[in-house]
Amino acid sequence: MTLVTDPVRTAAAAVCARDGVDLVGLARAELLELSRDLVGLRRETDVVLAQVAAEIDRCSAADDGAAGVAAREGFRSTGELIARATGGSVADARRLVAVGSLMADADAAAEFATEAAACADVSSPSGVGAGVSPLGRLRAGLAEAVRARALSVDGAAAFASALAGLPDTEATRDVFARALAKTQGLALHEVRKLVWRAQALADPAAWEQREERQYSERSASLRDDADGMVTLIARLAPLDAAPVRAVLDANVRWAMQRRRDDPGSEARTPWQMRADILVDLCRHALDCDQPTGGVKTTVVVRMTRAELEAGLGVGEVDGLAQPVSAAALRRAAADAEVIPVILGGDSEVLDWGRARRLFTPAQRLALVERDGGCAWCNAPPSWCEAHHIRWWERDAGPTDLSNGVLLCTRCHHRIHRDGWGIDVRRGGVSQTRVVSGRASASDVRSVGAGAGAGAGAGAGAGAGADGVVWFTPPQSVDPKRIPRPGGRHRFDIAA
């Protein structure tokens, strides 16, 4: 594996060109540009460090043990050696080794394919021979994405870890390739969400076994700390955590709304609110003859009718980042406080035109199905409200799905304050568009849904439910105003 440092030198030069600059005096655009240059330098050095870490790991796996590099330096593993040098964790070091090994294997496979093609007098445009397995080609694609700085080292490590033990088939490669194509510009926790979905879709049976293992490892403990406070630690399987999350999120949202309406009514932080909710729930359990005064909550599970009937495949639970096996969702759907949303079945009218101002529960469920939560930041559905894209009063906007979007309060205010456009499209055609928070005759186009109360039962309902939300930045953020996908579409990798 050849070490190439030119990209590091170029990135470092861009940063060092600002040596001595006063950060406080930088304009916003200059500060953001410096931040991007620093991120670029970090990514370049991460790639080189991963290559070096992989080589140290290879040299530490000597046959006689004591002769390995890590052992001679007094460490039990390569991870400990690198963690000591970087000041990070052993887990971070192992991710560097994993990605460096990924790139080394890809280089070796490409070299072998080139030699084989030369011997057979056959060219190989991709650098990877036809004999390479589907997952081998996928790993080569991951290595190339890291080298091209399209995927971070941590993101590539998440992909590499998920591939372990999966079927080496074209179907597995395809679903992970779709996930890889959506990683551009995503944070690590969002990349992990894509990886989990790809993992579940690639091998639903193994995903169900994973859930069984997680359930067997559930735990909760209480301990007194040095200050006399009691620390509660719980590890729950994702599906078991769903009702806990639903109750906590719903009550915190209710308290935040009350504080918004009456600023002096609530001084607690969200963390204090969650602690109080847990205590109140346990107090209620001690005397459950008393009716609860808590906020009514439900858990919404989503799957196709075929998955519900067969118990095979994967679905999802509102508010959970990880997908859940269809078998577990079938069991959960038997709970009286769980709403199963069966996709593809009949539904009630979802567009109401100007007949109603507030979105109905059925419309909200349809918006959650389309947007997945906050269409901007992907916050859980319980944090969000259904908002009119064309405002109800100012723009006479209808209460239709094509004019609705799920947004948490923070994102709703930021979008209107900064002048972002919201565009709901289906098949590349705009259904509703508002630019800079204001609608005009030229800005607004509707498909199927009319302005009257009786216009909701036609194509507009389907258009709104099946549409994709796009956000168009103002010129102050992006002079070209290139639209950015939002909602569930950002993470949808199902075929």
Side-chain angles (χ1 to χ4, degrees):
M1 184 163 51
T2 304
L3 190 66
V4 179
T5 60
D6 281 345
V8 177
R9 186 179 298 108
T10 301
V15 174
C16 294
R18 299 179 178 86
D19 183 42
V21 71
D22 180 14
L23 290 178
V24 178
L26 283 180
R28 181 173 66 93
E30 295 174 321
L31 189 61
L32 291 174
E33 184 180 3
L34 175 57
S35 174
R36 287 190 290 268
D37 288 341
L38 285 167
V39 170
L41 176 58
R42 178 175 177 177
R43 286 207 168 189
E44 300 294 352
T45 55
D46 278 350
V47 170
V48 175
L49 182 57
Q51 293 174 306
V52 173
E55 182 61 18
I56 293 175
D57 185 64
R58 188 188 68 80
C59 295
S60 296
D63 292 337
D64 60 352
V69 170
R72 287 205 303 269
E73 295 296 321
F75 295 96
R76 291 177 296 178
S77 67
T78 305
E80 289 187 358
L81 186 156
I82 296 173
R84 178 70 65 83
T86 62
S89 67
V90 173
D92 291 336
R94 288 172 179 162
R95 284 192 285 270
L96 286 169
V97 171
V99 176
S101 300
L102 186 75
M103 290 189 288
D105 292 344
D107 286 347
E111 183 177 351
F112 175 80
T114 301
E115 293 175 355
C119 292
D121 196 23
V122 176
S123 62
S124 179
S126 65
V128 180
V132 178
S133 69
L135 290 191
R137 298 200 304 275
L138 177 64
R139 290 188 177 93
L142 287 172
E144 181 60 30
V146 173
R147 287 194 175 95
R149 285 54 177 176
L151 184 65
S152 69
V153 166
D154 287 339
F159 272 90
S161 176
L163 292 174
L166 288 180
D168 195 351
T169 64
E170 289 292 343
T172 301
R173 188 200 69 82
D174 288 346
V175 71
F176 273 89
R178 289 197 296 272
L180 178 60
K182 287 180 172 282
T183 58
Q184 186 71 33
L186 296 184
L188 181 59
H189 74 277
E190 295 172 319
V191 173
R192 287 198 183 105
K193 185 182 295 186
L194 281 169
V195 169
W196 285 332
R197 295 190 179 188
Q199 199 173 353
L201 289 170
D203 195 345
W207 192 259
E208 187 174 346
Q209 294 174 358
R210 179 180 185 267
E211 292 172 339
E212 294 174 355
R213 173 186 58 79
Q214 290 175 328
Y215 181 74
S216 67
E217 294 175 357
R218 68 194 184 281
S219 64
S221 63
L222 290 166
R223 65 177 179 83
D224 300 325
D225 64 19
D227 192 38
M229 296 285 284
V230 178
T231 300
L232 167 64
I233 300 175
R235 297 184 73 245
L236 304 176
L239 192 56
D240 290 337
V244 178
R245 188 187 298 272
V247 170
L248 295 178
D249 285 350
N251 280 271
V252 170
R253 176 172 173 259
W254 172 76
M256 288 297 193
Q257 288 176 333
R258 187 175 61 176
R259 183 163 70 185
R260 183 180 61 190
D261 297 334
D262 182 7
S265 64
E266 183 63 71
R268 296 175 299 171
T269 67
W271 295 271
Q272 291 171 330
M273 293 175 191
R274 295 186 185 98
D276 292 344
I277 294 164
L278 287 174
V279 172
D280 290 343
L281 287 173
C282 292
R283 283 174 176 165
H284 172 70
L286 294 176
D287 189 6
C288 60
D289 290 337
Q290 296 181 3
T292 176
V295 177
K296 185 66 174 177
T297 59
T298 55
V299 175
V300 180
V301 302
R302 300 172 184 278
M303 64 193 115
T304 65
R305 183 172 296 278
E307 290 169 337
L308 175 66
E309 294 173 350
L312 299 175
V314 295
E316 59 186 66
V317 177
D318 283 357
L320 291 186
Q322 298 186 47
V324 181
S325 67
L329 292 179
R330 289 180 70 185
R331 294 191 295 269
D335 192 313
E337 299 304 324
V338 172
I339 297 178
V341 176
I342 310 303
L343 310 182
D346 295 335
S347 62
E348 58 186 280
V349 175
L350 297 179
D351 286 350
W352 288 92
R354 294 286 296 176
R356 303 178 58 127
R357 173 168 183 168
L358 300 180
F359 288 89
T360 68
Q363 286 177 309
R364 178 180 168 82
L365 287 175
L367 287 174
V368 172
E369 179 56 36
R370 188 193 70 191
D371 298 344
C374 178
W376 176 271
C377 73
N378 203 237
S382 59
W383 293 16
C384 303
E385 295 178 350
H387 294 283
H388 290 78
I389 299 176
R390 292 168 56 201
W391 294 4
W392 170 267
E393 294 181 350
R394 188 193 66 192
D395 305 321
T399 307
D400 296 344
L401 290 186
S402 61
N403 191 47
V405 63
L406 280 186
L407 294 170
C408 67
T409 300
R410 182 178 61 179
C411 290
H412 181 226
H413 292 323
R414 179 172 63 240
I415 286 171
H416 283 302
R417 180 192 67 223
D418 296 342
W420 285 74
I422 306 176
D423 202 357
V424 181
R425 306 177 187 176
R426 183 183 183 187
V429 178
S430 175
Q431 299 167 47
T432 303
R433 177 172 180 165
V434 176
V435 179
S436 300
R438 291 199 170 274
S440 65
S442 61
D443 292 330
V444 180
R445 291 161 288 174
S446 297
V447 177
D466 298 338
V468 176
V469 178
W470 291 78
F471 295 97
T472 303
Q475 288 187 338
S476 60
V477 174
D478 179 5
K480 296 182 179 180
R481 303 203 69 194
I482 299 175
R484 306 178 185 183
R488 192 184 300 276
H489 178 70
R490 287 189 300 167
F491 304 101
D492 184 14
I493 58 174

